[in-house]
């Protein structure tokens, strides 16, 4: 009897569920989807593989979207659209500001830190954070990038034997040190100590979060708690939160002491040594000082910046180096430019150098086009949204913004869209008809706040390395570079950024 009742309730629930969503089914049917879609699970089986398989599935759907103008796929009962058309993307990024629910797993780490916060919270946080990223403030960080990139270059000397090695740990400790110094005013010292618990915890945590996003069985909290990843997750959160809380506490004390005009320096974190105000200082004052952000909000914001700025920039540097290894002629042209600007001197990079390093700018941008570190962004569709192409995204669906696809669409980039050609960014050739055709840092009101910061940090590292070493890789015979990539929130090289370096000058 109870079983009967349960069956009847389940059937009624399903019928009601389907009735309520009939508009969604109707609109979805008007949009092309993949042939391999299965009943009930939709395209979920395409994402069962490893991170490389997931990336190739999304590349395949991006090509589908280029071909048909838009593409859709059911992930179980959730409907997603994948958009590559820049005109449609502009509208999506302006109107669909809410992040997809899949981001809830990272919220355990960064709470309501701006990047994945619900719109109601994000608006205020973005307003407070924005002035801290003004070009005048960001360019003050050049000294940090310059010093940290010189350190990076020196640390690579022992690995420059002509043998292949993974440059990833060097790059991620460079970006972590730069971000921690600018975000918290703390010298993390990850470059000197690659086993830094902060770095290890951040990496382990991001891996667990990624596993949860793509492995449906790890998603419900009560099941997740039964898996060993749960303990790793909790321990790592403890390390990240513990460290950040301590820094915030010290900063509060320091500010109090400063107010009494007797600054007290905390030697443990070398707080005195920051040359300019860190984001933490600015967040305290911009949010209203004592009456502004509480310690938890500060921790959320500072950790968000740390997580948003570390791997993204490291991936961009790694991709640029891999590309330079594939195309020695392009590398030599870049080296010639660096010699012209720096000569044989060992002087540090200064902000004026950035405007002179024009070829470096084009090489970095072309790498970000073909290998955007954040290849996809997922937003929620809260109300029916009619796109300029005429397609309607129904309320309740999700939309995958394919930055990767928009960057390779021959409609906007020409028949050689997949070729690596830095000179397409020459002012006389670069004609961006729509701003969303090139948007490694996204577009619209929720775009990346750190894009100028990131470009400076990436260029500082690439120039420090190329000045001192020749990057040697497997030379590419085709103008379209091939690199095996995987999706781990970011798009990373499968081989962990294996390259080999040969010293150019005595260090
Ligand atoms: C090459 C490096 C980087 C890339 C490719 C990148 C890319 C992105 C992308 C695609 C978004 C998502 C925007 C959206 O949902 O529309 C984003 C958001 C954000 N990024 Fe970056 N980013 C990089 C470096 C940085 C750095 C270094 C910082 C800070 C130090 C930073 C801070 C942020 C913040 C705060 C947001 C959230 C903006 C908001 O929701 O209001 N990013 N970034």
């Amino acid at each position: 009897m109870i079983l009967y009742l349960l069956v009847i309730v389940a059937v009624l629930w399903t019928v009601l569920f389907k009735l309520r969503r009939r508009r969604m089914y109707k609109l979805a049917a008007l949009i092309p989807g993949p042939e391999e879609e299965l009943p009930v699970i939709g395209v979920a089986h395409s994402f069962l593989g490893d991170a490389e398989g997931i990336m190739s599935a999304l590349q395949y759907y991006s090509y589908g979207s280029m071909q048909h103008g838009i593409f859709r796929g059911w992930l179980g009962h959730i409907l997603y659209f994948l958009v590559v058309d820049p005109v449609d993307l502009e509208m999506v990024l302006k109107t669909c500001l809410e992040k997809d629910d899949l981001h809830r797993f990272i919220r355990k780490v960064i709470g309501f830190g701006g990047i994945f916060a619900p719109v109601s919270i994000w608006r205020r946080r973005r307003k407070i954070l924005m002035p801290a990223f003004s070009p005048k403030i960001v360019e003050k960080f050049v000294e940090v990038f310059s010093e940290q990139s010189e350190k990076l270059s020196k640390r690579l000397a022992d690995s420059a034997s002509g043998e292949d090695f993974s440059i990833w740990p060097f790059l991620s400790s460079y970006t972590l040190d730069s971000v921690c110094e600018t975000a918290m005013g703390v010298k993390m010292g990850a470059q000197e100590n690659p086993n830094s618990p902060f770095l290890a915890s951040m990496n382990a945590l991001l891996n667990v979060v990624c596993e949860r996003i793509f492995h449906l069985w790890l998603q419900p909290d009560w099941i997740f708690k039964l898996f060993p990843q749960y303990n790793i997750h909790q321990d790592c959160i403890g390390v990240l939160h513990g460290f950040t809380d301590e820094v915030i506490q010290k900063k509060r004390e320091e500010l109090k002491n400063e107010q009494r005009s007797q600054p007290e320096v905390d030697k443990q974190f070398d707080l005195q040594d920051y040359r300019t105000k860190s984001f933490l200082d600015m967040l305290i004052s911009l949010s209203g000082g004592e009456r502004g952000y509480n310690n938890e909000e500060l921790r959320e914001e500072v950790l968000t910046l740390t997580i948003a700025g570390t791997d993204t920039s490291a991936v961009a540097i790694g991709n640029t180096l891999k590309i330079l290894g594939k195309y020695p002629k392009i590398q030599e042209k870049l080296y010639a430019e660096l010699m012209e600007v720096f000569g044989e001197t060992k002087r540090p990079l200064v902000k004026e150098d950035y405007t002179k390093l024009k070829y470096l700018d084009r090489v970095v941008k072309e790498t970000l086009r073909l290998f955007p570190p954040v290849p996809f962004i997922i937003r929620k569709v809260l109300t029916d949204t009619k796109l300029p192409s005429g397609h309607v995204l129904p309320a309740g669906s999700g939309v995958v913004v394919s930055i990767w696809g928009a960057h390779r669409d021959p409609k906007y980039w020409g028949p050689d869209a997949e070729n690596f050609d830095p000179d397409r960014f020459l002012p006389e050739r670069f004609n961006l008809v729509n701003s969303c055709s090139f948007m490694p840092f996204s577009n619209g009101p929720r775009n990346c706040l750190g894009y100028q910061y990131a470009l400076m940090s990436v260029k500082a590292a690439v120039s420090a390395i190329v000045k001192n070493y020749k990057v040697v890789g497997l030379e590419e015979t085709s103008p379209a570079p091939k690199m095996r990539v995987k999706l781990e929130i970011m798009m990373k090289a499968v081989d962990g950024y294996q390259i080999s370096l040969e010293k150019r000058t005595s260090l």
Side-chain angles (χ1 to χ4, degrees):
M1 183 64 187
I2 290 181
L3 198 66
Y4 267 130
L5 264 175
L6 280 177
V7 172
I8 290 170
V9 169
V11 170
L12 272 176
W13 186 87
T14 312
V15 171
L16 272 174
F17 181 73
K18 296 230 165 201
L19 268 177
R20 258 191 288 127
R21 292 160 57 103
R22 61 188 184 284
R23 182 170 163 74
M24 184 189 265
Y25 296 123
K26 207 171 122 194
L27 289 171
L30 299 175
I31 291 178
E35 276 166 19
E36 57 277 14
E37 207 163 36
L38 297 174
V40 185
I41 62 165
V43 294
H45 58 292
S46 330
F47 298 102
L48 285 179
D50 57 9
E52 188 178 4
I54 290 168
M55 185 65 213
S56 27
L58 284 162
Q59 287 172 339
Y60 168 75
Y61 293 132
S62 297
Y63 284 122
S65 189
M66 278 181 219
Q67 197 189 340
H68 299 284
I70 190 167
F71 221 42
R72 61 131 182 86
W74 289 92
L75 206 59
H77 66 286
I78 309 175
L79 173 63
Y80 284 101
F81 294 93
L82 193 142
V83 182
V84 296
D85 184 83
V87 183
D88 282 350
L89 285 179
E90 194 173 351
M91 173 149 210
V92 166
L93 289 169
K94 251 188 214 149
T95 51
C96 307
L97 296 181
E98 205 68 69
K99 300 271 169 142
D100 187 78
D101 287 335
L102 285 176
H103 295 114
R104 66 188 182 278
F105 304 115
I106 192 97
R107 285 213 189 117
K108 310 244 178 224
V109 188
I110 56 170
F112 289 123
I115 195 162
F116 299 122
V119 170
S120 53
I121 293 175
W122 160 79
R123 275 194 203 287
R124 172 174 173 252
R125 299 232 176 161
R126 170 115 182 170
K127 216 167 146 192
I128 291 172
L129 191 55
M130 209 135 91
F133 279 96
S134 78
K136 280 239 165 316
I137 292 178
V138 171
E139 69 187 26
K140 293 217 176 96
F141 296 138
V142 173
E143 249 181 80
V144 175
F145 303 141
S146 180
E147 186 193 318
Q148 292 293 349
S149 60
E150 288 306 322
K151 210 180 269 178
L152 164 67
S153 167
K154 288 204 175 89
R155 279 188 68 222
L156 287 168
D158 290 342
S159 309
S161 58
E163 295 286 308
D164 274 8
F165 72 104
S166 164
I167 199 169
W168 177 255
F170 294 86
L171 302 182
S172 60
S173 48
Y174 157 74
T175 50
L176 182 72
D177 277 351
S178 311
V179 170
C180 286
E181 198 168 337
T182 49
M184 303 190 232
V186 165
K187 280 196 181 288
M188 181 65 78
Q191 293 218 68
E192 288 84 10
N193 171 21
N195 301 322
S196 138
F198 191 93
L199 183 58
S201 301
M202 197 171 82
N203 287 336
L205 202 53
L206 290 179
N207 283 342
V208 174
V209 167
C210 209
E211 266 189 86
R212 285 193 86 182
I213 290 179
F214 291 110
H215 296 151
L216 298 182
W217 60 92
L218 289 177
Q219 293 194 353
D221 280 342
W222 66 274
I223 299 184
F224 179 54
K225 283 183 183 161
L226 305 174
F227 282 80
Q229 288 96 321
Y230 175 72
N231 291 334
I232 301 175
H233 183 263
Q234 296 306 98
D235 290 348
C236 294
I237 286 186
V239 172
L240 298 194
H241 286 188
F243 182 85
T244 323
D245 288 348
E246 215 177 316
V247 174
I248 292 169
Q249 195 58 43
K250 301 266 183 222
K251 176 55 67 185
R252 292 261 196 223
E253 281 166 27
E254 197 197 61
L255 287 176
K256 256 192 209 143
N257 290 337
E258 255 176 33
Q259 271 169 3
R260 286 188 218 119
S261 73
Q262 282 179 327
E264 217 177 70
V265 174
D266 188 301
K267 297 223 167 44
Q268 191 191 348
F269 292 126
D270 207 0
L271 283 172
Q272 188 196 30
D273 202 21
Y274 58 81
R275 293 154 189 76
T276 182
K277 280 198 181 317
S278 65
F279 286 120
L280 176 57
D281 292 277
M282 289 185 266
L283 282 169
I284 293 175
S285 64
L286 289 167
S287 70
E290 290 278 297
R291 289 182 308 278
Y293 281 154
N294 61 31
N295 285 1
E296 193 183 344
E297 288 168 320
L298 281 176
R299 183 226 285 153
E300 291 179 351
E301 287 301 303
V302 165
L303 266 185
T304 298
L305 291 179
T306 312
I307 290 179
T310 303
D311 274 15
T312 43
S313 307
V315 165
I317 303 166
N319 290 341
T320 312
L321 296 174
K322 287 278 273 185
I323 292 279
L324 291 174
K326 287 175 190 292
Y327 299 108
K329 278 195 188 133
I330 292 179
Q331 186 177 171
E332 283 319 300
K333 194 169 166 187
L334 175 58
Y335 179 67
E337 180 182 82
L338 290 166
M339 284 302 100
E340 206 182 302
V341 172
F342 291 96
E344 292 295 322
T345 61
K346 295 267 184 239
R347 73 165 175 84
L349 174 120
V350 290
K351 78 170 193 287
E352 289 72 24
D353 292 326
Y354 286 110
T355 39
K356 294 181 200 153
L357 294 167
K358 291 191 170 30
Y359 193 59
L360 174 64
D361 181 66
R362 302 206 289 280
V363 168
V364 168
K365 283 186 177 149
E366 180 67 341
T367 308
L368 287 169
R369 183 182 72 86
L370 286 180
F371 298 97
V374 182
F376 308 102
I377 298 167
I378 317 181
R379 298 279 179 87
K380 269 191 202 174
V381 181
L382 296 182
T383 51
D384 285 4
T385 305
K386 186 163 182 191
L387 300 176
S389 60
H391 299 294
V392 181
L393 308 180
S397 59
V399 56
V400 180
V401 171
S402 177
I403 295 178
W404 187 89
H407 285 185
R408 287 173 182 250
D409 193 340
K411 243 188 275 144
Y412 294 89
W413 291 99
D416 66 344
E418 309 258 349
N419 292 0
F420 186 81
D421 174 11
D423 287 347
R424 63 172 93 235
F425 283 93
L426 275 169
E428 59 272 28
R429 275 184 61 191
F430 189 60
N431 175 23
L432 204 63
V433 179
N434 190 289
S435 59
C436 288
S437 303
F438 180 64
M439 51 160 182
F441 300 102
S442 184
N443 204 285
R446 254 194 127 152
N447 73 343
C448 175
L449 274 172
Y451 73 95
Q452 278 152 328
Y453 175 115
L455 284 174
M456 287 173 135
S457 166
V458 169
K459 289 178 188 175
V462 173
S463 66
I465 294 173
V466 176
K467 255 191 307 180
N468 294 303
Y469 305 95
K470 187 185 265 182
V471 184
V472 186
L474 206 58
E475 208 174 316
E476 188 86 65
T477 46
S478 149
K482 280 169 253 357
M483 199 193 309
R484 283 180 62 196
V485 284
K486 57 183 177 176
L487 188 66
E488 280 177 354
I489 304 187
M490 258 144 276
M491 181 174 80
K492 295 182 178 163
V494 170
D495 68 2
Y497 292 97
Q498 291 282 328
I499 56 166
S500 95
L501 295 178
E502 285 169 10
K503 266 183 212 171
R504 283 190 191 264
T505 52
S506 56
L507 289 168

